[in-house]
Amino acid sequence: MLILHLFGVIVIITLTCAFLKWIYDHVRIHYYISKIPGPKGYFLLGNLFDLVHKDERLFRKLRQWGLEFYPIYRAGVCSETSANMVGAEDIEQIISSTQHSSKSEIYRILENWLGTGLLTSAGAKWQHRRKILTPAFHFNILQQFIQVFNGETEKLVETYYKLLEDRQEVSIDVTSTITQFTLCTINETSMGIKLDFHDEENKNYKQAVYEIGQLFLERLLRPWLWRDIFYYFLTKNGLREKKLVKMLHKYTNKVINEKSKKFEPFEVDRDNCYSRRKNMALLDILLNEKFTNGNIDDEGIREEVDTFMFEELIREEMTHVLGDNFSRPSYEELMELKYTERCIKEILRLYPSVPFISRMLSDDMITKSGYKLPKKTIVNIHIFDLHRSPKFWDNPDKFDPDRFLPENVQKRHPFAYLPFSAGPRNCIGQRFAILEFKAVLCGILKNFKFVEIDTPETMDFIPDIVLRPKRGVLVKIVRRN
Ligand code: HEM
C-alpha cells in the first residue's frame, strides 16, 4: 500500500514538473519572440483570424508579412508562436548548422504515415538512415533511373495524344497528368514496381495519397488539432486519416513482403556503389542492408519507402514550358542540357515545390538580425519569400534563367536560393529531381507546344506543405507537326 502511495506521489510530482517546465519554456519563448516585430495579434488568440484561412488569402497574407517585416517576424496561434525567417543571413545560421537540424512539431503530423523516416527523424537515427540512403542517389543508380523517366514520359506523351484525338490543340488542366507521372516514376524507382491505374488497388492507393495530403493541410493550420490523442480519437478527419494510413501501409508492406521473399543479398562495391546490379530500386538497397548488415528492420524499411513515395506530392507544380528536341535522352545528354537546367532552376525559384520548411531550435541562439531565440523555438523558413525578395533578386517576379549563369550565381548570397534546402539536411533527391524534370521536358516538348492560358497573374496558390495552385494550371497543348 505504502509503495502504491509512493508511486502515486512520484507520478504526480513528475507530471507537475513536466507541466511547469512546459509553462516555463513557453513563457520564455513568448517573452523573447514578442520582441520580434510582426503582425498585430490578439490576447491568447495571436494571429488566429489571419491564419485560420486555408485558401489563397492565407498564402497572400504570408507574402505580405514577408515583405513588410523582412528579414524576420513573429506569428502564431494560441500557445504556438513561431519565428519566421525570410532573410538569407538568418536562414543560413539555422540550416547550415548541425545543431538546429531537428524538424519542428509541424512534421509530427506526417509521422502516423511516414513514421520517423529520413524526412522526419532527428539525431542518430537520421544520421544512420542518411548514411544508408546516400548511395541510392549515386550517379550509377541515377543512370539506371533514366529508363524509368523515359518510359513514364512516353506514357505521358501518349496520354496527351489521346486527349488531342485528331485535333490540333486542346486546353487542359495539366496537374492531374503530371501528378500521375510523378507518382508512377517514384513508385517504380522506390519500390521497383509499375503502377497500373486499371488495377483497383493501385487506383485506391493513388486516391489515398491525395486525400491524406488534404487532411495534413487542414491539421497543419489548426494547432489545437496537433495533439494526437485529441485528433485521432475525437475528430472525423483523425479517424479518416487512421483508415487511410492503414490502407497505405498495407500496400507498402505487401510490396516489401513480396520482394523480400525473392530477395538475394548482393555485395556492395563501395567505390562503384552498386553499379554492377541492374534495375535496382531504393527498396533493393534497403533490403540488402537488412539481409547483409541487419542495420534496418521491416518497420524502418516501410518508413523509408513511404517517405520516398510522399515526395511525389512535392513535384505537382512542374508545369512550365521549355524548348528542346530530345527524346529517350541518355544520362550524359541530360547532363549536357545546361540551358534547360538554368530554366528549371528559375522555375524552382519562382515556384519552389516546398514553399517553406521548419525547424525546432535545440539551443538558444542570437540571429544575425539581432534577436534572441530560445531553445525549442519553432523557426519557419519561408523559401517562397526568400526567392522573391528584392534584397537578392532584381525584378524578382520576372522569369530570367540567366540568373543562374555561373558569374551571376557567384555574386549572390549562397543562401538566397534554397529550393532543395541546404546544409546537412538538404534534399537527398535533388539530382534525381532535376534529371527527371529534364527527361520529361524533352519527351513532351519534342511532341507538343505548350501555350499558357493561366499566367502568373491569374494563378492563385493555397498554403500547403507543397506549393499547390488553387484551380490547377490550364495550358493549351498544341501538336507539333
Ligand atoms: C523538385 C523536386 C524536389 C524539391 C523542390 C525538394 C525539396 C526538398 C527540400 C526543401 C527538403 C528539405 C526539407 C526540410 O528541411 O524539411 C527536402 C528534403 C528531402 N527530400 Fe526533396 N525535393 C524534391 C525532390 C525529391 C525527390 C525526387 C526525392 C526522392 C526521390 C526527395 C527526397 C527527400 C528526402 C528524403 C528529404 C529529407 C532529407 C533529410 O532530412 O535528410 N526529394 N527536399
Side-chain angles (χ1 to χ4, degrees), residues 340-359:
T340 308
E341 184 156 330
R342 289 207 295 281
C343 290
I344 292 171
K345 286 184 171 161
E346 180 65 343
I347 292 165
L348 287 172
R349 181 185 72 84
L350 287 166
Y351 303 100
S353 318
V354 181
F356 83 100
I357 57 177
S358 189
R359 294 282 184 276

Side-chain angles (χ1 to χ4, degrees), residues 351-368:
Y351 303 100
S353 318
V354 181
F356 83 100
I357 57 177
S358 189
R359 294 282 184 276
M360 182 157 71
L361 299 189
S362 359
D363 223 328
D364 292 3
M365 70 171 280
I366 299 192
T367 65
K368 285 261 168 69

Side-chain angles (χ1 to χ4, degrees), residues 103 107 118-119 126 130 137 186 307-308 311 314-315 318 348 353-354 357-359 383 418-421 424-429 432-433:
K103 302 286 175 82
Y107 295 73
L118 192 59
L119 182 67
W126 168 75
R130 182 95 187 189
F137 293 91
I186 199 71
T307 294
F308 282 84
E311 291 299 334
I314 53 190
R315 284 166 296 126
M318 297 179 175
L348 287 172
S353 318
V354 181
I357 57 177
S358 189
R359 294 282 184 276
I383 296 174
L418 297 171
F420 296 107
S421 184
R425 292 209 77 156
N426 68 355
C427 173
I428 200 170
F432 174 113

Side-chain angles (χ1 to χ4, degrees), residues 177-189:
T177 50
I178 298 286
T179 299
Q180 184 146 317
F181 165 81
T182 54
L183 182 60
C184 289
T185 312
I186 199 71
N187 215 70
E188 203 174 331
T189 48

